Amino acid sequence: MKIVEMRVHSIAIADPPLRSSYGLHAPYALRTILELKSEDGVTGISETHGGEAIAAGFEALRLRIVGRDAYRLAGELMPMIEGKPEGSSLDRSQTYQVPGENPLDASLRLYSAIEIACVDLIGKSVGKPACDILGGRVRDEVLFSAYLFYKHAGGGGVGADARGDEYGEGLTPEAMVKQAEQMIAKYGFRDIKLKAGVLDPEIEIETVRQLRAKFGAGVPLRIDPNCAWSVETSVHVGQSLAKELNGSGYLEDPAAGMDGMAQTREKLLAAGIRTPLASNVAVTSFADIPEAVRIGAVQIVLSDPHYWGGLQQMQHLGKVCRTFGLGLSMHSNTHLGVSLMAMTHAAAATPHLTFACDTHYPWQSEKDEVVAGGRVPIVDGCVRIPEKPGLGVELDYDQLARGRERYAKYPYRKRDDEAEMRKHVDPNWKRILSRW
Amino acid sequence: MKIVEMRVHSIAIADPPLRSSYGLHAPYALRTILELKSEDGVTGISETHGGEAIAAGFEALRLRIVGRDAYRLAGELMPMIEGKPEGSSLDRSQTYQVPGENPLDASLRLYSAIEIACVDLIGKSVGKPACDILGGRVRDEVLFSAYLFYKHAGGGGVGADARGDEYGEGLTPEAMVKQAEQMIAKYGFRDIKLKAGVLDPEIEIETVRQLRAKFGAGVPLRIDPNCAWSVETSVHVGQSLAKELNGSGYLEDPAAGMDGMAQTREKLLAAGIRTPLASNVAVTSFADIPEAVRIGAVQIVLSDPHYWGGLQQMQHLGKVCRTFGLGLSMHSNTHLGVSLMAMTHAAAATPHLTFACDTHYPWQSEKDEVVAGGRVPIVDGCVRIPEKPGLGVELDYDQLARGRERYAKYPYRKRDDEAEMRKHVDPNWKRILSRW
């Protein structure tokens, strides 16, 4: 099934002023929509990180994509991801660069989007869902987690193009409980993740405690400061939240670096606290796993089909984790419905998935969705595998054109949360690890 | 694509009197051919171990197979292979039971054959080779190794049904060099494996030395006594053959058990000998890998799509090995062309394959082949991925019927190499580990 056309759409989508240890989300987040069209007129799609660099990356690959067989392209491009590991683990990690902006995993991100579009294309061509193309689903629906963010007032976008502020300002424990109530009422989530590393750790600890008080022990909780804490603070938080996180939740990337994670784990264990540590920062590629296992730095790997190599590599990762006794969950970036479906199919085709997946999806607006028919439904916290073939979604080309227009109109060309902090919150702000 | 029919063919195929540490091959080896037919009349096939137990295993699964979608069956049956690991590593291993006869991996072997038949069915349905169904090939041809066996005179089969003795008796170093010359002349192999653990280790060492003298350093050599040696003997052989095996060859399963392997490795390293140890005995499942890595027992895993879980699990295994710095090669049992093609497609779709694969194929006869059009060609040591869809082979139903007739006519119902030794060589023979 020859690919006769490749289209790359750089789009901008409104994004609320969400906070993390990386800084502040800009009013527009950037995404790329990739289309691969076959000679028989079927189009496979995928969505990935946005901005200039990745779009240029696809262009550079055009001659290796157009004219090739969709069934064989992922195999032909395998050297892009099975080449020599580049740089040290720390260089590859997301410790110092926000996900999607590390040049060292650029080829992995390009490959991932191409592989996903090929699987979508094959699925649409044979009339089967993507998860059944790669070995067959092990579940019909995938559980996602409520993803709470400390945030400033505002719903994203600027001026007349601004979106409504559905959740309002969230900078106190009480506001975060309200945010969770609202999100759970709307989507039925059964797990809660708090993006932390933003306020004083005591406030963040109190936020988790209030969430537990509100939702009870039946709702697993996780907290993720993106390495904002020292080992000592990480241990302090782990100890303070032993009851709230242990059992069904986890502590995600508390401290920077593989060593920081390992030291945190060791000290927590010494204090009798078995809360597992999850990571999408210290461990971002297969090459990081042996060291993480050897020194006990990470107990749960946060996969992401966008930069682990697509759907099939996600399945491989599941097997690696199962083999070495690691848990598996899924990381998320700001995304639309195409990515949500790729994440859902990846999760549906990965037997060893041991936690609800993350998703930023509640933070995006219907107005920015590029999926035909509107936003993908999340019901009871789950996305169901649709009866439709491939990823189960098609593009709304009018909406896509609007996304491209926003991209052209606004100056954002890469993600820079630190610059946004300086612009809107504190002119002297710098990301500091560890801040607390 | 609904499966509407399952057919299970137990067949017997002539097998020469090959020797190993397990004993002696019977005049007939047993195989099972599985057919899964879809509602649109396409038939997917696979080949696996033979005898009563596995045929009964397929029958027990009939209701879980017939009526199901070929795209989803492997996912639905995943609990068969991702259930709780059963028994200890030693129980699961092939240390004390010949491959194909361990009840603890029965469900894995059944699953594997079903998965392969489904991939063949899907490939045939969409007109694509099996290796391109599961993510896309990374090579168009797969290199196999000449597999030398010490053997008695005879070509397999009995009485009027006996096959010609192509290679003659092989019980001396000189005869083995001749066997290798003959096999290489016919198939163009570029690697040589010697099945050992049969004669005094000094004779086997001499055999390897004569092979090296004959074929030179450009032909990688490997030797496999199936655990017949003590750690001391293993180290002695490793030291004696340091020049012959190191670099491009390996020492396969010299000593019994994960500990025996680890001790052998440690002592060899202490003696400055870096010849890697390969295994299809100590490591036969994903569950064995962490310990093998931890104690350094195995440097090369010998995969086998027949009992590692089929084509997709082979790909997973490749990634696990790549991630943890292990090499990957492939184990073989007595087999026909359907298995050879499954092995070839598995290898073609597994990027991290670091050695030529094993195959018993030269030991079987055209007269027993069930593949339409006759035996699969091996040229320059390689099997090429055919242009045809699925595994690239169809069944010759007349030949299949002859295989069933032989199965009905002769009394063999499971592999028992020890019984054959007692019958034909030594009435008191018992497998002893370690024998030397």
Side-chain angles (χ1 to χ4, degrees):
Chain A
M1 191 170 45
K2 202 197 274 189
I3 296 165
V4 294
E5 196 179 344
M6 176 182 89
R7 279 185 293 224
V8 180
H9 308 275
S10 295
I11 63 173
I13 61 176
D15 199 22
L18 308 181
R19 290 281 298 272
S20 77
S21 87
Y22 293 111
L24 172 69
H25 283 210
Y28 291 97
L30 307 177
R31 300 297 284 171
T32 309
I33 303 292
L34 176 69
E35 290 187 278
L36 299 180
K37 191 172 168 183
S38 76
E39 54 191 338
D40 31 7
V42 182
T43 299
I45 59 175
S46 63
E47 174 189 344
T48 185
H49 302 95
E52 275 174 343
I54 194 156
F58 285 121
E59 287 308 328
L61 289 168
R62 181 175 288 278
L63 293 177
R64 292 169 68 188
I65 295 171
V66 175
R68 309 309 304 168
D69 183 342
Y71 280 92
R72 297 188 49 181
L73 187 56
E76 287 173 356
L77 297 181
M78 190 59 71
M80 286 176 68
I81 65 167
E82 294 242 322
K84 249 182 135 180
E86 300 164 270
S88 76
S89 181
L90 197 62
D91 291 337
R92 270 193 323 272
S93 82
Q94 292 172 170
T95 308
Y96 299 106
Q97 303 199 53
V98 289
E101 294 296 349
N102 191 339
L104 291 182
D105 67 14
S107 70
L108 260 162
R109 287 183 278 117
L110 292 165
Y111 179 93
S112 303
I114 295 163
E115 192 252 11
I116 293 167
C118 284
V119 175
D120 183 47
L121 180 51
I122 292 168
K124 282 171 176 160
S125 160
V126 304
K128 292 287 172 182
C131 56
D132 298 331
I133 292 300
L134 287 176
R137 75 185 73 177
V138 290
R139 52 187 73 85
D140 291 315
E141 54 183 24
V142 172
L143 191 61
F144 287 87
S145 169
Y147 199 160
L148 310 186
F149 279 84
Y150 293 108
K151 70 183 282 288
H152 300 283
V158 292
D161 198 29
R163 309 289 175 240
D165 187 8
E166 193 174 352
Y167 294 95
E169 185 182 89
L171 291 168
T172 64
E174 294 73 20
M176 298 309 277
V177 170
K178 192 172 150 286
Q179 189 184 101
E181 287 184 291
Q182 232 181 303
M183 205 176 272
I184 287 173
K186 187 165 177 181
Y187 298 102
F189 292 120
R190 303 172 228 169
D191 304 69
I192 298 174
K193 166 168 175 170
L194 174 66
K195 177 61 83 183
V198 173
L199 305 178
D200 185 280
E202 297 304 326
I203 301 177
E204 300 190 335
I205 289 169
E206 175 61 17
T207 302
V208 172
R209 286 186 175 148
Q210 290 199 18
L211 288 167
R212 165 59 71 103
K214 180 71 202 176
F215 297 100
V219 174
L221 299 172
R222 55 188 83 160
I223 181 168
D224 169 23
N226 288 114
C227 322
W229 301 333
S230 66
V231 170
E232 290 63 36
T233 303
S234 298
V235 172
H236 168 67
V237 175
Q239 286 184 304
S240 304
L241 295 175
K243 186 169 63 101
E244 289 79 2
L245 301 183
N246 201 2
S248 56
Y250 53 74
L251 185 55
E252 178 180 336
D253 286 313
M258 203 75 93
D259 284 348
M261 293 288 282
Q263 286 169 36
T264 300
R265 172 69 170 171
E266 196 183 332
K267 287 176 199 282
L268 282 174
L269 284 179
I273 293 164
R274 305 196 57 83
T275 304
L277 304 190
S279 181
N280 70 290
V281 173
V283 172
T284 64
S285 76
F286 287 94
D288 301 325
I289 295 177
E291 174 77 352
V293 167
R294 197 181 62 78
I295 66 174
V298 171
Q299 289 73 56
I300 299 159
V301 175
L302 301 176
S303 61
D304 186 331
H306 298 91
Y307 62 78
W308 278 85
L311 305 180
Q312 195 180 28
Q313 298 292 321
M314 265 285 303
Q315 296 175 297
H316 295 333
L317 177 59
K319 196 74 187 196
V320 169
C321 287
R322 178 174 149 76
T323 299
F324 282 85
L326 300 170
L328 188 76
S329 184
M330 195 185 287
H331 166 262
S332 149
N333 259 321
T334 301
H335 64 86
L336 295 174
V338 183
S339 276
L340 181 61
M341 290 316 302
M343 294 158 72
T344 299
H345 282 274
T350 303
H352 182 74
L353 181 76
T354 58
F355 292 88
C357 301
D358 289 351
T359 176
H360 286 62
Y361 203 53
W363 295 105
Q364 268 44 67
S365 155
E366 177 81 30
K367 289 188 179 156
D368 296 284
E369 183 55 88
V370 296
V371 160
R375 277 163 70 78
V376 173
I378 300 178
V379 179
D380 294 336
C382 289
V383 177
R384 265 196 93 75
I385 298 296
E387 299 294 321
K388 296 172 197 159
L391 295 177
V393 288
E394 305 277 352
L395 293 174
D396 178 326
Y397 287 94
D398 292 336
Q399 282 291 89
L400 191 62
R402 289 186 195 102
R404 283 199 308 265
E405 284 161 22
R406 284 188 298 272
Y407 185 87
K409 182 172 175 185
Y410 298 102
Y412 307 101
R413 290 297 175 266
K414 64 171 200 158
R415 180 174 168 186
D416 189 347
D417 292 15
E418 214 168 327
E420 292 301 310
M421 275 298 278
R422 286 196 287 268
K423 226 184 288 177
H424 299 286
V425 182
D426 172 359
N428 299 312
W429 198 86
K430 279 179 70 157
R431 186 162 185 245
I432 299 164
L433 298 185
S434 55
R435 185 175 298 276
W436 290 282
Chain B
M1 189 170 45
K2 200 197 275 188
I3 296 165
V4 294
E5 196 179 344
M6 175 181 91
R7 279 186 292 224
V8 180
H9 307 277
S10 295
I11 63 173
I13 62 176
D15 199 21
L18 308 181
R19 290 280 299 272
S20 77
S21 88
Y22 291 112
L24 172 69
H25 283 211
Y28 290 97
L30 308 178
R31 300 297 284 171
T32 308
I33 302 293
L34 177 68
E35 290 188 277
L36 299 179
K37 191 172 168 185
S38 77
E39 54 192 337
D40 30 8
V42 183
T43 298
I45 60 175
S46 64
E47 174 189 343
T48 185
H49 303 95
E52 275 174 344
I54 195 155
F58 286 121
E59 287 308 328
L61 289 167
R62 182 175 288 277
L63 294 176
R64 292 168 70 187
I65 295 171
V66 175
R68 309 309 303 167
D69 183 341
Y71 280 90
R72 297 187 51 182
L73 186 57
E76 288 174 355
L77 298 181
M78 189 59 73
M80 286 176 66
I81 65 167
E82 293 242 322
K84 252 182 129 179
E86 300 165 89
S88 75
S89 179
L90 198 61
D91 292 337
R92 269 192 324 272
S93 82
Q94 291 172 169
T95 308
Y96 299 107
Q97 302 198 51
V98 289
E101 294 295 349
N102 191 338
L104 291 181
D105 67 13
S107 70
L108 260 161
R109 287 182 280 119
L110 291 164
Y111 180 93
S112 302
I114 295 163
E115 193 252 10
I116 293 167
C118 284
V119 175
D120 183 48
L121 180 51
I122 292 168
K124 282 172 177 160
S125 160
V126 305
K128 292 286 173 185
C131 57
D132 298 331
I133 292 300
L134 287 176
R137 75 184 73 176
V138 289
R139 53 187 72 84
D140 291 316
E141 54 183 22
V142 172
L143 190 61
F144 287 88
S145 171
Y147 200 161
L148 311 186
F149 278 84
Y150 293 108
K151 71 182 281 288
H152 300 282
V158 293
D161 199 28
R163 308 289 176 241
D165 186 7
E166 192 175 352
Y167 294 95
E169 185 182 87
L171 291 169
T172 64
E174 293 73 19
M176 299 309 277
V177 170
K178 190 172 151 284
Q179 189 184 102
E181 286 183 291
Q182 232 180 305
M183 207 177 269
I184 287 173
K186 186 165 177 181
Y187 298 103
F189 292 120
R190 300 172 231 170
D191 304 69
I192 298 173
K193 167 168 174 170
L194 174 65
K195 177 61 83 183
V198 173
L199 304 177
D200 185 281
E202 296 306 326
I203 302 177
E204 300 189 337
I205 289 169
E206 176 60 18
T207 303
V208 172
R209 285 186 176 148
Q210 291 199 16
L211 288 168
R212 164 59 71 103
K214 179 73 201 175
F215 297 99
V219 174
L221 300 172
R222 54 188 83 159
I223 182 168
D224 170 23
N226 288 114
C227 321
W229 301 333
S230 67
V231 170
E232 289 65 34
T233 303
S234 300
V235 172
H236 168 65
V237 175
Q239 286 184 304
S240 304
L241 295 176
K243 185 171 63 100
E244 289 80 2
L245 301 183
N246 202 3
S248 56
Y250 52 74
L251 185 56
E252 178 179 335
D253 287 314
M258 203 77 93
D259 284 348
M261 294 287 282
Q263 286 169 36
T264 300
R265 172 69 169 170
E266 197 184 333
K267 287 176 199 284
L268 283 174
L269 285 179
I273 293 164
R274 305 195 58 80
T275 304
L277 303 190
S279 182
N280 72 289
V281 173
V283 171
T284 63
S285 76
F286 288 94
D288 301 324
I289 294 176
E291 173 78 352
V293 167
R294 197 180 62 77
I295 66 175
V298 170
Q299 289 73 55
I300 299 158
V301 175
L302 301 177
S303 61
D304 186 331
H306 298 91
Y307 62 78
W308 279 85
L311 305 179
Q312 194 179 29
Q313 297 293 320
M314 265 285 303
Q315 296 175 297
H316 294 334
L317 177 59
K319 197 74 186 197
V320 169
C321 287
R322 179 174 149 78
T323 299
F324 282 86
L326 299 171
L328 188 76
S329 183
M330 196 185 287
H331 166 262
S332 149
N333 259 321
T334 301
H335 64 86
L336 295 174
V338 183
S339 275
L340 181 61
M341 290 315 304
M343 293 157 73
T344 299
H345 282 274
T350 302
H352 182 74
L353 180 76
T354 58
F355 292 89
C357 301
D358 290 349
T359 176
H360 286 62
Y361 203 53
W363 295 106
Q364 268 45 69
S365 155
E366 177 82 30
K367 290 190 179 154
D368 297 284
E369 183 56 89
V370 297
V371 161
R375 277 163 69 81
V376 173
I378 300 177
V379 179
D380 294 337
C382 289
V383 177
R384 265 196 94 75
I385 298 295
E387 298 294 321
K388 296 172 197 159
L391 295 177
V393 287
E394 305 277 353
L395 293 174
D396 177 327
Y397 287 95
D398 292 335
Q399 282 291 87
L400 190 62
R402 287 184 198 105
R404 282 201 309 266
E405 284 161 23
R406 284 188 298 271
Y407 186 87
K409 182 172 175 184
Y410 298 103
Y412 307 100
R413 290 298 174 266
K414 65 170 200 158
R415 180 175 169 186
D416 189 346
D417 292 14
E418 215 169 326
E420 292 302 310
M421 275 298 278
R422 286 195 288 267
K423 226 183 289 178
H424 298 286
V425 182
D426 172 358
N428 298 312
W429 199 85
K430 279 178 72 155
R431 187 164 185 245
I432 299 164
L433 299 185
S434 53
R435 185 175 298 276
W436 289 282

